Amino acid sequence: MAALRRTLHLASLAAGMRRTVAGSLAGSCLANHSLWDKLHAQPRQGSVCTFDWFFGYEEAQGLLLPLLEKSRAACPPRVLDVGCGTSSLCTGLYTKCPHPVDVLGVDFSPVAVAHMNSLLEGGQGQTSLRPGHPESSLHFMQADGQNLQPVASSGSFQLVLDKGTWDAVARGGLPGAYQLLAECLRVLSPQGTLIQFSDEDPDVRLPCLEKGSQGWTVTVQELGPFRGITYFAYVVQGSDVLDLI
């Protein structure tokens, strides 16, 4: 019963955080840098140290782990989370993936990056994170997803993740979203995979991705429903890559 009460308490805290953020975003441009700094600076209650749009690592692992297993020719495979914010995606891969993995989370908010580095190193009264495999590594860096040149060379990642980042950038205009996509594809290995996680309908997203990913294969997979909402994984791969999903 105590465990149940604790679970319900954490769920309530997370729901409260989502409501607070949703209220802060009403009428705001999600591509605004200062908005995200303000949101990431909001105090977190209890033991909730990360905040996830849509869903977290636990819901995505069934899609990610088979891809990483089949990318082990590059050992360890490199994973880039673009616009990582304070999500559990990077930390989940680092602490729970049974295979060696080299994870880099980037975000244009220095507040988000500082928070995640503190979490990684055991700040905020937390225990430092331990890798799920002794050869795994995790780093966080400040970078704009529309210009990854300072942190990522061309073709250097086997898996690139975008969980809600296109959605946020597109609120500032589609040209910015297409630039984000171009940078994700630039740093992706020709045999790699880009996944955009979103709640946007395929009738809207697929034409955009097909336009911006010419020469790549674009597919979509339903995820969920999680908390009553169906999400989509938009998967972009080189045309010569076997379907891994």
Side-chain angles (χ1 to χ4, degrees), residues 77-153:
R78 299 192 70 205
V79 180
L80 176 66
D81 184 3
V82 179
C84 63
T86 57
S87 165
S88 66
L89 209 53
C90 287
T91 55
L93 279 170
Y94 175 65
T95 60
K96 298 180 180 179
C97 181
H99 318 300
V101 61
D102 180 4
V103 183
L104 173 62
V106 301
D107 200 279
F108 66 14
S109 168
V111 178
V113 172
H115 175 83
M116 296 308 288
N117 275 321
S118 177
L119 181 62
L120 173 63
E121 296 163 5
Q124 308 168 47
Q126 302 290 319
T127 303
S128 59
L129 301 183
R130 298 175 63 88
H133 188 283
E135 296 180 17
S136 291
S137 60
L138 173 61
H139 304 279
F140 294 98
M141 300 180 68
Q142 183 182 355
D144 189 332
Q146 297 178 62
N147 178 22
L148 295 169
Q149 290 279 359
V151 297
S153 58

Side-chain angles (χ1 to χ4, degrees), residues 7-187:
T7 300
L8 292 174
H9 176 61
L10 292 177
S12 176
L13 289 175
M17 179 66 173
R18 284 192 291 272
R19 287 193 295 271
T20 299
V21 171
S24 301
L25 294 179
S28 300
C29 176
L30 297 184
N32 183 285
H33 287 222
S34 61
L35 169 69
W36 291 106
D37 284 343
K38 179 180 177 181
L39 290 174
H40 291 310
Q42 290 182 356
R44 290 168 174 79
Q45 304 179 59
S47 59
V48 181
C49 294
T50 57
F51 174 78
D52 281 292
W53 292 105
F54 305 153
F55 49 82
Y57 171 77
E58 296 296 334
E59 292 83 0
Q61 63 180 330
L63 179 63
L64 301 180
L65 292 182
L67 282 170
L68 291 170
E69 171 68 21
K70 294 177 181 180
S71 298
R72 293 178 68 186
C75 191
R78 299 192 70 205
V79 180
L80 176 66
D81 184 3
V82 179
C84 63
T86 57
S87 165
S88 66
L89 209 53
C90 287
T91 55
L93 279 170
Y94 175 65
T95 60
K96 298 180 180 179
C97 181
H99 318 300
V101 61
D102 180 4
V103 183
L104 173 62
V106 301
D107 200 279
F108 66 14
S109 168
V111 178
V113 172
H115 175 83
M116 296 308 288
N117 275 321
S118 177
L119 181 62
L120 173 63
E121 296 163 5
Q124 308 168 47
Q126 302 290 319
T127 303
S128 59
L129 301 183
R130 298 175 63 88
H133 188 283
E135 296 180 17
S136 291
S137 60
L138 173 61
H139 304 279
F140 294 98
M141 300 180 68
Q142 183 182 355
D144 189 332
Q146 297 178 62
N147 178 22
L148 295 169
Q149 290 279 359
V151 297
S153 58
S154 298
S156 56
F157 289 89
Q158 284 68 50
L159 180 60
V160 176
L161 305 176
D162 168 344
K163 185 160 70 75
T165 305
W166 166 289
D167 303 74
V169 173
R171 288 285 293 272
L174 279 178
Y178 280 121
Q179 177 60 28
L180 168 70
L181 175 61
E183 276 294 273
C184 289
L185 294 177
R186 180 185 66 79
V187 304

